[in-house]
Amino acid sequence: MRELAPRLRKSRNTIRRALRDAGPWEYRVRRPRPRPVMDSLVPVVERWLDEDRARPRKQRAHRPADLPAAEGACGSLGAMDPAG
């Protein structure tokens, strides 16, 4: 296995798994991670997206910065804020 790993550019665990189970591997879906802040805001974001889809393309809003102030969210903008 140590000789095969660098030659195939795979980890030893992957090679070990392939030797143990030669059949097609299945993708295992994990349960969704909890999102306590975003779960409460999903309906608001979906409503905003529906409103924006109804508008002409050049009049659509880009407003993730409005989210905490308008809806009383706690936490940071994180990935939603392109400037931050």
Side-chain angles (χ1 to χ4, degrees):
M1 270 187 276
R2 286 186 179 167
E3 295 174 11
L4 285 175
R7 197 176 330 158
L8 297 174
R9 295 185 181 161
K10 302 291 181 193
S11 72
R12 289 190 311 232
N13 290 337
T14 303
I15 294 173
R16 192 175 293 127
R17 180 179 171 196
L19 291 174
R20 212 177 325 128
D21 178 21
W25 296 344
E26 295 179 4
Y27 177 74
R28 294 183 188 114
V29 179
R30 296 179 182 157
R31 64 179 171 195
R33 294 171 59 181
R35 304 178 310 172
V37 174
M38 282 304 295
D39 282 343
S40 63
L41 298 174
V42 167
V44 175
V45 173
E46 287 178 352
R47 179 174 43 96
W48 282 0
L49 292 173
D50 290 340
E51 290 172 2
D52 282 349
R53 284 187 197 108
R55 296 179 188 186
R57 184 173 57 91
K58 292 199 172 196
Q59 293 180 6
R60 293 181 184 165
H62 302 284
R63 48 184 169 186
D66 296 344
L67 189 61
E71 304 299 329
C74 62
S76 68
L77 288 176
M80 291 175 48
D81 187 11

